[in-house]
């Protein structure tokens, strides 16, 4: 074993071997993988080996598609067979709601270039004759699904990595990880110590233990997972003989099961409601190539439904039951990337779908380590998406919930209850007493909307407009016409101070820093000129003269942004950064009466001339020391009032009491988001993400290319000079009883106009055959689908996608934001656009000016 390496990968499952291969392929040949036992000794060896490309996050779906495409290349390079079976797969819907879910997934597939197709239960039965099609209302066919040999695939990654110069050391457990003052890692193993620049935690079942070696409690938990293998079945053999093909894979939402052919029998697995964690506190180091004791009683309810839906399987004999542990993060997606607060310590763990995602995870992480950026939008997998509130007990509760719901629909207005409340503000009990429907905002309980007195404060979950619609509308109208108050503790809050503070922020941000007592809005870019942040910054320099700035941003990105800030902090100590989290909370008051309301609570002049739009001031509000911004996300006249938690109840009570004469109302986050749509305001994670440049994101007025050389300036200047290929737009949608939710395709009537192409995210797929063996051509395949601009329907083409939207209650319009080719971004013609909502294409048109207060006079008055 070498004594020095560029990087050490800890763990020899499919993910660790993929990371090793991709690092070597990227040019880092001096890399070592260290495994405590043999390759695949954790979860990989007993995995069912299925793969698919569909994912709730389209960006993760792209990486899954890459993984599937990689296998043939991997076989050629390594000389090791992956035993790839590209059969295709079907998702079965037994209710109209589940069919709506499939329509949404199918629509997402349009702009990802996926050849999915909605089919009838009878068509599904032709491909999987073991089912009783009368139990279903519809289905979706995906040609890029199948299964492989887990062990063979893992060894293919390993052999390919070794051919590129990487080293693999087996039967050698990592005992300790320490770091020298110069940042070098000491990887202490049973066979000696390796000094490395980078360490990658691919520990799988032991990833928590590896994380604990460096003081990190990673949010992941292993769950017992069962699947069974049947004896040979005559029905399977006859289908294979008559069609010359394998049976396709089938996913049944109602039964919480998945099935596929295994040799001449069937593999059937389940994500049962009565799920069971495995080793919830510590993973034993001596666990190896072992299986857990099966428990058929636990999965009996799922099997009962499964046998009803697939009666052909019920009479088959069970040959073997596999019960083994797999790791999950609280939301089911992997934990990937650098750990905030540490240098050169990386994660690639909690990859429960290793044979769907392992290749993409390896590619993204290797790009990140070698090039400084993953090369993809991996926010849905970023380890930084969880805060300190994701403790061991939180994780264990949330993973159990996620596992038990793996085949359940997550409605857009559905709030899941496990591990809540995790964090609350001093106003939590007050909000609940006022009939607030609470939501989880990065672990914090936040009011979403307020139910009328005497009614139960709960959401009726739906893809359509629901029971909150009328009441959110009332909150919006009352705020727009009078005054409203909402809690904004769920914003991220930071202070940057020190003699180098302004220069530091000017280096990070695209806009100029504000003068003392003033505020600016500014994006933040990575080195490639892509959007990685959107902030409100106030110059709060006080009497001492030391430079001091307050920053507000997205709460969900706090660790993501702290990681970036820390990476670029000057080493001379001239800049200090402090993240407040819930040690600073806030209220926002907005509406035409908000100025008069604030004046009643303070002892200084807050008239328009004395306290201008985009001003910042420290002042006592109701006698409590506060920070006050003359700005709100509603786009109306209004103020953000920030205080320590000890003062929040005092300030809130005073606001409500003083606001009685103005008809004040409480409003929640849904009303706030409705009002931001009326102003065409973008939001982080939806409109502003690392796949877009600032000019694509229509952030032009906040980018000062003429100022100092900020990070990403050269790329941003190039984007402006060449012209952005896409532009963020706002569209008015002729919706019925359902509004956009995000990720819907945008169609345009553009004939053969060429706006460029988007490479199809996967290169091959299984054709669909009927029961006679005749190939059935899908409409997508027949049209030669080759990416977002390749899906066609006569003169109509998919040209873009929705990022977010909903109903704008004050202007009484259904609105969407999204990205379309720049050549179409200012075309407000009727009949040019349609947006696909729940399988129906609804007319839409661009509105280039905000529908509410387009000149911005109200917020400046």
């Amino acid at each position: 074993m070498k004594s020095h390496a560029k990087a050490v990968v800890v763990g020899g499952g499919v993910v660790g071997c993929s990371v090793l291969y991709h690092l070597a392929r990227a040019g880092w040949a001096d890399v070592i993988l260290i495994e405590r036992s043999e390759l695949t000794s954790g979860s990989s060896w007993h995995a069912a080996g299925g793969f698919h490309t569909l994912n709730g996050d389209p960006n993760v779906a792209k990486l899954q598609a890459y993984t599937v495409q990689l296998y043939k290349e991997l076989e050629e390079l390594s000389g090791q067979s992956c035993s790839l079976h590209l059969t295709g797969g079907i998702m079965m819907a037994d209710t109209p709601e589940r069919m709506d879910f499939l329509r949404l997934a199918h629509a997402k597939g349009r702009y990802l270039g996926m050849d999915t197709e909605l089919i009838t239960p009878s068509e599904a039965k032709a491909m999987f004759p073991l089912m009783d099609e009368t139990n279903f209302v519809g289905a979706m066919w995906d040609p890029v699904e199948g299964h492989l040999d887990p062990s063979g695939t893992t060894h293919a990654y390993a052999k390919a990595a070794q051919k590129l110069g990487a080293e693999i050391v087996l039967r050698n457990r990592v005992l300790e990880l320490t770091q020298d003052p110069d940042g070098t890692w000491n990887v202490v193993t049973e066979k000696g110590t390796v000094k490395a620049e980078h360490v990658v935690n691919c520990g799988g079942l032991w990833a928590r233990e590896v994380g604990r070696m460096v003081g990190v409690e990673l949010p992941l938990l292993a769950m017992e997972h069962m699947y069974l293998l049947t004896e040979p079945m005559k029905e399977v053999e006859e289908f294979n003989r008559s069609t010359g093909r394998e049976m396709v894979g089938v996913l049944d939402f109602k039964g919480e099961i998945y099935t596929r052919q295994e040799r001449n029998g069937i593999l059937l697995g389940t994500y049962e409601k009565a799920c069971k964690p495995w080793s919830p506190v510590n993973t034993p180091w001596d666990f190896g190539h072992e299986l857990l004791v099966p428990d058929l009683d636990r999965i009996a309810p799922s099997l009962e439904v499964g046998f009803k839906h697939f009666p052909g399987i019920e009479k088959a004999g069970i040959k073997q039951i596999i019960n083994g542990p797999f790791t999950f993060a609280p939301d089911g997606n992997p934990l990937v990337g650098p750990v905030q607060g540490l240098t050169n310590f990386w994660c690639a763990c909690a990859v429960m779908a290793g044979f769907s995602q392992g290749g993409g995870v390896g590619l993204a992480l290797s790009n990140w380590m070698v090039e400084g950026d993953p090369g993809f939008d991996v926010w849905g997998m970023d380890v930084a998406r969880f805060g300190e509130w994701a403790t061991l007990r939180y994780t264990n509760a949330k993973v159990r919930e996620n596992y038990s719901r793996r085949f359940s629909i997550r409605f857009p207005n559905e709030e899941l209850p496990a591990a809540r409340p995790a964090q609350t503000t001093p106003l939590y009990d007050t909000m609940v007493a006022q009939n607030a429907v609470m939501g989880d905002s990065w672990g914090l309980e936040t009011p979403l909307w307020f139910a009328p007195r005497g009614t139960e404060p709960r959401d009726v979950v739906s893809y359509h407009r629901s029971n909150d619609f009328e009441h959110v509308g009332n909150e919006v109208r009352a705020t727009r016409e009078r005054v409203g108050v909402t809690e904004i503790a769920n914003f991220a809050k930071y202070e940057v101070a020190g003699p180098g503070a302004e220069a530091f922020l000017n280096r990070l941000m695209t806009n100029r820093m504000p003068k003392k007592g003033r505020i600016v809005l500014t994006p933040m870019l990575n080195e490639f000129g892509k959007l990685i942040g959107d902030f409100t910054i106030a110059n709060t320099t006080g009497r001492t003269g030391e430079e001091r700035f307050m920053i507000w941003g997205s709460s969900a990105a706090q660790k993501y942004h702290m990681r970036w800030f820390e990476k670029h902090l000057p080493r001379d100590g001239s800049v200090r950064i402090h993240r407040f989290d819930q040690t600073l909370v806030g209220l926002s008051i907005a509406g035409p009466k908000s100025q008069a309301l604030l004046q009643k609570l303070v002892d200084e002049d807050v008239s328009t001339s004395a306290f201008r739009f985009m001003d910042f001031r420290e002042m006592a509000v109701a006698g409590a020391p506060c920070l006050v911004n003359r700005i709100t996300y509603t786009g109306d006249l209004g103020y953000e009032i920030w205080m320590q938690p000890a003062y929040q109840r005092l300030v809130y009570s005073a606001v409500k009491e003083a606001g009685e004469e103005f008809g004040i109302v409480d409003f929640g986050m849904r009303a706030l988001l409705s009002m931001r749509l009326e102003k065409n305001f973008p939001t982080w994670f939806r409109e502003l993400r690392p796949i877009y440049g600032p000019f694509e994101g229509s952030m032009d007025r906040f980018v000062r290319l003429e100022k100092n050389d900020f990070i990403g300036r050269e790329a941003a200047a190039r984007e402006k000079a060449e012209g952005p290929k896409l532009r963020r737009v706002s569209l008015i949608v002729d919706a019925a009883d359902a509004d956009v939710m995000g990720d819907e395709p945008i169609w345009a009537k553009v004939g053969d106009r060429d706006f460029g192409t988007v490479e199809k995210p996967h290169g091959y797929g299984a054709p669909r055959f009927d029961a006679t063996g005749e190939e059935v051509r899908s409409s997508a395949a027949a049209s030669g689908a080759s990416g977002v601009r390749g899906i066609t329907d006569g003169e109509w083409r998919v040209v873009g996608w929705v990022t977010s939207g909903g109903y704008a209650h004050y202007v009484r319009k259904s609105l969407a934001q999204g990205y379309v080719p720049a050549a179409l971004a200012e075309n407000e013609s009727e009949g040019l656009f349609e947006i696909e909502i729940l399988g129906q294409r609804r007319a839409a048109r661009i509105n280039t000016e905000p529908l509410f207060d387009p000149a911005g006079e109200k917020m400046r008055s």
Side-chain angles (χ1 to χ4, degrees), residues 661-835:
E661 69 171 280
F662 305 117
I664 193 169
V665 298
D666 289 281
F667 67 94
M669 288 302 297
R670 289 184 185 163
L672 181 64
L673 294 176
S674 173
M675 288 185 274
R676 71 98 183 173
L677 288 172
E678 297 175 338
K679 290 294 293 180
N680 289 6
F681 288 165
T683 185
W684 169 251
F685 178 66
R686 298 305 309 185
E687 285 73 44
L688 309 179
R689 297 185 69 145
I691 51 176
Y692 307 121
F695 299 100
E696 288 181 323
S698 301
M699 304 293 282
D700 311 39
R701 66 187 185 278
F702 305 121
V703 180
R704 307 297 183 189
L705 293 172
E706 71 280 4
K707 81 180 188 85
N708 58 282
D709 185 23
F710 57 86
I711 295 171
R713 180 187 176 279
E714 183 177 338
R718 187 164 54 250
E719 180 193 355
K720 182 178 182 182
E722 296 175 356
K725 295 181 174 61
L726 302 172
R727 286 288 272 187
R728 175 177 64 87
V729 295
S730 177
L731 301 102
I732 301 171
V733 187
D734 181 23
D737 67 336
D739 304 294
V740 301
M741 290 161 273
D743 298 326
E744 293 88 351
I746 301 174
W747 295 77
K749 192 174 184 180
V750 293
D752 294 326
R753 291 180 63 187
D754 183 15
F755 301 106
T757 59
V758 173
E759 184 180 351
K760 190 173 180 178
H762 46 75
Y764 59 91
R768 179 161 68 85
F769 290 77
D770 63 21
T772 67
E774 187 71 22
E775 182 177 354
V776 179
R777 295 286 288 170
S778 72
S779 57
S783 69
S786 60
V788 65
R789 295 167 185 82
I791 306 299
T792 62
D793 178 12
E795 294 184 285
W796 290 88
R797 304 173 72 188
V798 172
V799 298
W801 54 91
V802 171
T803 51
S804 71
Y807 193 80
H809 289 271
Y810 193 69
V811 299
R812 300 182 184 276
K813 301 287 185 183
S814 183
L815 299 180
Q817 290 195 36
Y819 282 84
V820 300
L824 296 175
E826 295 185 4
N827 191 329
E828 296 184 289
S829 302
E830 298 274 2
L832 177 61
F833 293 104
E834 292 179 345
I835 295 178

Side-chain angles (χ1 to χ4, degrees), residues 139-448:
M140 185 175 77
W141 159 253
D142 179 9
V144 188
E145 290 191 16
H147 59 97
L148 44 67
D149 172 28
S151 178
T153 301
T154 304
H155 281 86
Y157 279 118
K159 289 179 179 179
Q162 288 173 314
K163 284 190 174 183
L164 294 172
E167 181 180 349
I168 295 176
V169 180
L170 303 178
R171 298 174 292 282
N172 184 31
R173 180 160 74 89
V174 173
L175 303 173
E176 187 180 10
L177 295 170
T178 64
Q179 198 169 25
D180 293 338
D182 67 355
T184 300
W185 285 100
N186 300 298
V187 184
V188 182
T189 78
E190 293 172 328
K191 297 181 180 179
T193 298
V194 181
K195 286 189 171 291
E197 292 182 36
H198 301 263
V199 172
V200 187
N201 180 2
C202 298
L205 294 175
W206 296 269
R208 281 181 314 190
E209 280 65 29
V210 175
R212 288 165 183 168
M213 292 179 185
V214 296
V216 174
E217 186 67 36
L218 291 169
L220 60 91
L221 173 69
M223 300 293 292
E224 294 191 13
H225 180 69
M226 276 182 281
Y227 62 88
L228 56 86
L229 303 171
T230 73
E231 298 284 357
M233 297 175 59
K234 292 181 180 179
E235 298 92 332
V236 174
E237 294 170 345
E238 172 58 25
F239 180 87
N240 298 159
R241 185 197 62 75
S242 63
T243 66
R245 289 182 51 80
E246 281 186 73
M247 285 190 175
V248 302
V250 178
L251 187 153
D252 176 11
F253 290 105
K254 175 68 173 178
E256 299 157 342
I257 59 176
Y258 58 90
T259 69
R260 66 166 175 82
Q261 184 173 337
E262 174 67 14
R263 297 185 184 276
N264 51 359
I266 291 292
L267 180 152
L268 184 151
T270 175
Y271 285 88
E272 69 282 2
K273 289 285 190 288
C275 55
K276 184 179 179 181
W278 179 76
S279 292
V281 178
N282 296 291
T283 305
W285 287 106
D286 59 356
F287 184 80
H289 275 79
E290 305 164 42
L291 290 174
L292 308 177
V293 177
D295 183 0
L296 279 178
D297 289 341
R298 199 169 77 237
I299 65 173
S302 294
L303 294 179
E304 183 178 352
V305 176
F307 292 153
K308 177 185 176 184
H309 287 183
F310 305 98
I313 302 176
E314 183 176 12
K315 297 177 183 178
I318 297 176
K319 180 171 67 175
Q320 186 179 10
I321 301 173
I322 306 295
N323 186 20
F326 287 86
T327 56
F328 296 77
D331 60 3
N333 274 342
L335 301 173
V336 179
V339 175
Q340 186 253 320
L342 299 175
T343 55
N344 293 340
F345 184 84
W346 307 79
C347 279
C349 48
V351 189
M352 59 77 50
F355 296 97
S356 293
Q357 300 173 340
V361 167
L363 175 65
L365 190 67
S366 65
N367 287 343
W368 215 336
M369 295 173 69
V370 175
E371 304 293 340
D373 185 87
F376 304 88
D377 184 352
V378 297
W379 173 250
M381 300 193 297
D382 196 323
V383 66
R385 70 188 185 275
F386 292 105
E388 292 80 3
W389 37 267
T391 60
L392 183 65
R393 290 194 178 190
Y394 172 94
T395 297
N396 289 354
K398 215 64 183 171
V399 168
R400 289 196 298 271
E401 178 183 64
N402 177 270
Y403 183 99
S404 69
R405 291 179 49 87
R406 182 152 181 80
F407 290 158
S408 299
I409 295 172
R410 176 73 184 271
F411 290 95
N413 64 332
E414 185 173 13
E415 294 288 328
L416 303 182
R420 292 178 56 195
Q423 297 181 93
T424 60
T425 71
L427 292 182
Y428 174 72
D429 57 344
T430 303
M431 296 293 103
V432 171
Q434 292 179 175
N435 244 21
V437 176
M438 305 298 288
D440 178 357
S441 176
W442 207 60
L444 178 70
E445 294 296 313
T446 301
L448 298 176

Side-chain angles (χ1 to χ4, degrees), residues 63-75:
L63 289 173
Q64 292 183 186
Y66 163 80
T67 300
V68 177
Q69 186 180 22
L70 177 65
Y71 288 134
K72 286 189 176 181
E73 174 189 327
L74 201 61
E75 287 180 326

